[in-house]
Amino acid sequence: MTPGKGTPVRVGVFGLLGSGNLGNDGSLEAVLGYLRAAHPDAAVDALCGGPEAVTARFGIPATRLHWYRGEYRTASRAGSVVAKGLGKAIDAVRTASWVRRHDVVIVPGMGVLEATLPLRPWGFPYALFLLCASGRLFGTRVALVSVGAAAIGNRPTRALVRWSARLAHYRSYRDAPSRDAMRAMGVDTARDEVYPDLAFSLPALPGRGPDEVPVPPGPVCVGVMAFHGGNDDRARAEEIHRRYLDGTIRFVRTLAGDGRPVRLLTGDGVDVPVVAAILDAVDSPLVTAAETASLADLMKEMAAADTVVAVRYHNLICALKTGTPTLALSYAAKSDALMESMGLGAYTHPAREVDADRLLEQFRSLELRSAEVRRTLAERNLTAARLVERQFTALTAALFPAADPTHALRETP
């Protein structure tokens, strides 16, 4: 689909945006920043999980992703099952109609090609397939931009993800393991590039310099998560969650016992009960919870910390962007790849099997190297920001050829 001369390019953004996940909304913020800077005349709207929140925060029109509002609740009663099934048919029409009205649709970052957290095939994977199939049908350029991917065991989910990727006009990934995973699933990735996560383009609140050492030692930020394992761990979900929570409580209690102030951070609304459980178990005035509504809020907290320990992927990115020494409680290859790319590959710990004693050893080792780590992160952040700019340049060439200054040269006989 090509806009007429003088007609603004119609750009849609798509995903579980405005649904309470700070990382997803941060990815949207990054893409909107790019569009406003590079394509200020574009007419932008969203098809998303939380349209009211997206419109209120970002000032763009938004439409609800699913007709059935209980899409992500388990359907147990007959009426709910029927409504959910009807919603799938209605969503196919609604998605096609929305896609047809656009020249370009961007899926901004996020782990849309993975199932590292519990996921049903007929939820978001089905929605993404409808998007990409509609794009191919109507000639709308659909771009999966700096997205995450991983191997998927469930066959229906894997098939939907594979076909979504194949039908997209443009694909790029936020790390090499994501591209490798799609290649292993049968997607031709020969022309797909890898760039850092889109959140690396957001303004950062720098932390202390490498030579600024607080006396006494300053606060520690601990990012928590309602972690129950992944899609293949459903049978052990409660056991995994209890082990993660017990290990985190022991870690926080030890820090408080050493006189360290601890700030508990979330990355999604579903994490709030985990904060409450830790506060109840530790019961110390040194342990407090921060209220955060954006990645900027997270970075403000983390910039003031000596060290950050976090689980959620975008909590890790926020900590690394501020240059604060960071230890990852890792639940997927994406976290390991991120930490390795930032020079902190030795500072990961399995979220499924939190060993508080080992975690404390890693934490103390990291703090001893604080100045060195801060210097390393300053260098790696500059590199990441430059690479994301290349991503945006590549996106313009792929999606907005009329705005690409090299396009005319390529078209000249």
Side-chain angles (χ1 to χ4, degrees), residues 14-354:
F14 176 94
L16 294 178
L17 310 165
S19 301
N21 184 286
L22 303 188
N24 290 0
D25 289 356
S27 297
L28 172 60
E29 182 182 352
V31 162
L32 291 179
Y34 150 70
L35 290 171
R36 287 164 180 162
H39 307 283
D41 296 329
V44 183
D45 73 311
L47 184 62
C48 60
E52 299 87 358
V54 166
T55 297
R57 179 176 173 191
F58 298 107
I60 60 173
T63 302
R64 186 170 298 280
L65 179 59
H66 300 290
W67 173 81
Y68 179 57
R69 289 178 177 249
E71 175 60 39
Y72 293 104
R73 294 195 297 268
T74 301
S76 53
R77 297 181 180 178
S80 298
V81 173
V82 171
K84 210 168 200 180
L86 178 62
K88 298 305 175 190
I90 294 174
D91 284 345
V93 177
R94 292 174 69 252
T95 302
S97 175
W98 181 82
V99 170
R100 192 174 187 177
R101 299 195 299 270
H102 295 81
D103 305 299
V104 169
V105 174
I106 297 174
V107 180
M110 305 177 287
V112 297
L113 302 177
E114 64 181 52
T116 52
L117 296 175
L119 184 70
R120 299 293 188 188
W122 306 116
F124 187 78
Y126 174 71
L128 184 66
F129 171 75
L130 291 179
L131 171 78
C132 296
S134 298
R136 184 61 65 96
L137 179 64
F138 296 117
T140 299
R141 295 183 291 275
V142 174
L144 310 180
V145 183
S146 195
V147 297
I152 297 172
N154 180 273
R155 291 181 65 182
T157 302
R158 185 170 65 248
L160 288 166
V161 164
R162 179 173 59 245
W163 277 106
S164 297
R166 285 176 173 172
L167 292 169
H169 175 80
Y170 174 89
R171 296 180 300 269
S172 65
Y173 306 97
R174 63 190 179 190
D175 52 51
S178 292
R179 183 171 60 183
D180 294 344
M182 294 314 298
R183 184 184 299 118
M185 276 192 265
V187 176
D188 180 1
T189 62
R191 298 200 299 174
D192 298 353
E193 297 291 339
V194 172
Y195 299 98
D197 191 89
L198 294 172
F200 278 104
S201 71
L202 297 175
L205 291 172
R208 293 191 307 273
D211 300 319
E212 299 176 54
V213 181
V215 181
V220 178
C221 284
V222 177
V224 304
M225 180 178 180
F227 178 62
H228 294 78
N231 222 36
D232 298 329
D233 297 319
R234 292 179 183 273
R236 300 175 52 237
E238 285 310 311
E239 174 194 342
I240 289 170
H241 179 66
R242 174 47 56 187
R243 183 174 295 182
Y244 158 73
L245 184 59
D246 287 348
T248 303
I249 287 171
R250 281 193 59 202
F251 176 72
V252 171
R253 183 181 288 128
T254 300
L255 292 179
D258 291 343
R260 299 295 293 272
V262 177
R263 291 286 276 172
L264 301 177
L265 307 176
T266 62
D268 193 299
V270 300
D271 301 332
V272 172
V274 179
V275 170
I278 294 171
L279 290 173
D280 183 62
V282 177
D283 192 23
S284 166
L286 289 173
V287 182
T288 56
E291 294 186 8
T292 53
S294 67
L295 296 190
D297 291 344
L298 283 174
M299 284 189 272
K300 183 177 180 180
E301 293 285 344
M302 292 168 169
D306 276 9
T307 309
V308 175
V309 179
V311 189
R312 284 196 179 272
Y313 183 78
H314 281 94
N315 284 29
L316 292 172
I317 288 179
C318 286
L320 296 165
K321 272 182 65 64
T322 64
T324 305
T326 304
L327 200 163
L329 287 175
S330 174
Y331 65 87
K334 61 185 177 183
S335 298
D336 298 336
L338 172 65
M339 295 295 283
E340 189 67 40
S341 72
M342 299 301 284
L344 292 177
Y347 294 100
T348 63
H349 189 96
R352 282 176 175 76
E353 299 179 3
V354 177

